[in-house]
Amino acid sequence: MHVPDGFINAPVSAVTGVVAAGAIAVSLRGARRELDERTAPLAGLVAAFIFAVQMLNFPVAAGTSGHLLGGALAAILVGPYTGVLCVSVVLLMQGILFADGGLTALGVNITDMAIVTTVVSYALFRGLVKVLPRTRRSITVASFVAALLSVPAAAVAFTLIYAVGGTTDIAITKVATAMIGVHVLIGIGEAVITALTVGAVVAVRPDLVYGARGLQQRLKLRVNGELVDTPAAIPAPVAARSSHRKVWITGLVTSLVLAGFVSFYASASPDGLEKVAKDKGIDAKTEKHATEDSSPLAGYGVKDVSDARVSGGLAGVIGVGVTVVAGTGVFWAVRRRRTTDSSPTSVPEGV
């Protein structure tokens, strides 16, 4: 759903840019409360994983593909504020380095793909976990439903933005029907990927999943033949507390494999927005991307590398590396700011 330059006029693009900037500012402040010794090291990895999985377009209909948006996944794993930042980092890297998503449309893309998906999915997720049984399986089920509905919600958001600032004269009912219809199908793929990923992390380290905090079942001990809950004061095993590095390494290796190898087998069909834009004429005034000729990674390939498989794989690996470094840097800075803000102020002498 990466909107290129030219789909939305300049005034509306500017307004969405202001909205996106405001949301990022709020998220930076909110992320200070979410990022701790558990989530700070993983937030950059979540951004890199989303980047990698977004390269894996999957077929959803004849001549149409879809890919992960990632808002639901990020919000559930590391928190809604941090989730907005994760997807925003990905969109920024894609727009600057890979000419994917227009630079003047960056506000539109952040508003649509980072803010809307994160807010809608996390609100649905929190509502579901309150009514479902307090089990790990409920976390997975809630993740599935939240991710499923977040994608058509983003399609609706794009349709509303297009209704106000679209550069072509297309009936909005036609745009809405086409966008929502195809993105309901894409939402199924989003839901499967999100549920599988969240379920895998919950199964290994539920304490690392932001959305699962307070919902983990207590360990049980057998006393006189009966199972009883362990006292809340018993700390987590040292092995569990010290396994962040294993989770991080596993996630990074998985991201590199997906972006560097599996992405070669992704569907080559246009994604949902591209297909609708072509069929309905929304793309009539599409503008050339500003970095299409200048970036050596434009189009998810390395310039001057003739072998398509090698070129795409190298671009994917570089993208994962740049995203994890950029994301980790942002989140560690936010984490340090939280530590600074929460440290006791010095008391002047003589007081």
Side-chain angles (χ1 to χ4, degrees):
M1 201 181 290
H2 295 76
V3 179
D5 297 320
F7 274 26
I8 307 299
N9 63 33
V12 174
S13 295
V15 170
T16 58
V18 172
V19 171
I24 289 174
V26 172
S27 297
L28 285 169
R29 190 173 185 84
R32 296 182 200 173
R33 299 190 297 271
E34 295 173 347
L35 292 168
D36 55 23
E37 67 280 357
R38 291 175 291 181
T39 53
L42 296 177
L45 176 62
V46 170
F49 182 77
I50 290 173
F51 173 90
V53 180
Q54 283 197 2
M55 294 183 67
L56 308 180
N57 281 46
F58 47 85
V60 295
T64 310
S65 69
H67 62 71
L68 182 81
L69 298 185
L73 179 61
I76 295 166
L77 287 179
V78 292
Y81 293 108
T82 310
V84 169
L85 298 178
C86 281
V87 181
S88 297
V89 167
V90 173
L91 293 172
L92 186 62
M93 294 300 102
Q94 291 171 331
I96 294 175
L97 298 178
F98 296 90
D100 189 9
L103 296 185
T104 62
L106 186 59
V108 175
N109 285 320
I110 290 176
T111 300
D112 194 28
M113 296 176 64
I115 301 170
V116 171
T117 58
T118 301
V119 172
V120 170
S121 63
Y122 197 72
L124 289 169
F125 175 82
R126 294 308 306 175
L128 288 170
V129 295
K130 287 182 179 180
V131 299
L132 293 172
R134 298 169 65 86
T135 64
R136 295 177 182 178
R137 180 173 296 179
S138 296
I139 299 297
T140 304
V141 172
S143 300
F144 183 94
V145 176
L148 173 66
L149 297 178
S150 70
V151 178
V156 170
F158 169 80
T159 303
L160 294 175
I161 293 172
Y162 180 81
V164 177
T167 56
T168 53
D169 187 17
I170 308 297
I172 196 62
T173 53
K174 293 182 179 180
V175 176
T177 301
M179 283 292 294
I180 296 171
V182 72
H183 284 90
V184 166
L185 299 176
I186 295 173
I188 297 173
E190 177 104 9
V192 171
I193 295 170
T194 301
L196 288 175
T197 305
V198 172
V201 180
V202 166
V204 178
R205 289 294 305 276
D207 60 303
L208 295 182
V209 179
Y210 184 89
R213 292 183 180 182
L215 297 175
Q216 298 97 323
Q217 289 182 311
R218 300 261 289 275
L219 295 174
K220 293 182 180 293
L221 297 175
R222 187 173 295 278
V223 179
N224 297 327
E226 297 183 0
L227 291 176
V228 297
D229 288 335
T230 57
I234 294 181
V238 175
R241 295 200 304 269
S242 62
S243 63
H244 293 76
R245 182 175 297 178
K246 293 181 180 179
V247 174
W248 197 91
I249 292 175
T250 300
L252 180 60
V253 171
T254 301
S255 300
L256 291 171
V257 170
L258 291 175
F261 177 73
V262 181
S263 62
F264 182 79
Y265 301 97
S267 173
S269 299
D271 66 21
L273 176 58
E274 292 172 333
K275 179 66 172 176
V276 172
K278 183 178 180 180
D279 291 346
K280 304 301 180 183
I282 297 175
D283 60 353
K285 296 185 178 180
T286 302
E287 299 174 4
K288 185 176 180 179
H289 198 284
T291 66
E292 184 176 330
D293 295 328
S294 59
S295 174
L297 299 173
Y300 294 92
V302 178
K303 189 176 181 180
D304 298 329
V305 176
S306 57
D307 187 287
R309 185 190 297 268
V310 175
S311 178
L314 284 175
V317 169
I318 293 171
V320 168
V322 171
T323 303
V324 76
V325 170
T328 300
V330 169
F331 298 124
W332 271 117
V334 173
R335 169 65 177 156
R336 289 190 64 184
R337 181 67 180 271
R338 169 184 171 174
T339 303
T340 302
D341 291 346
S342 61
S343 61
T345 57
S346 58
V347 180
E349 293 182 7
V351 176

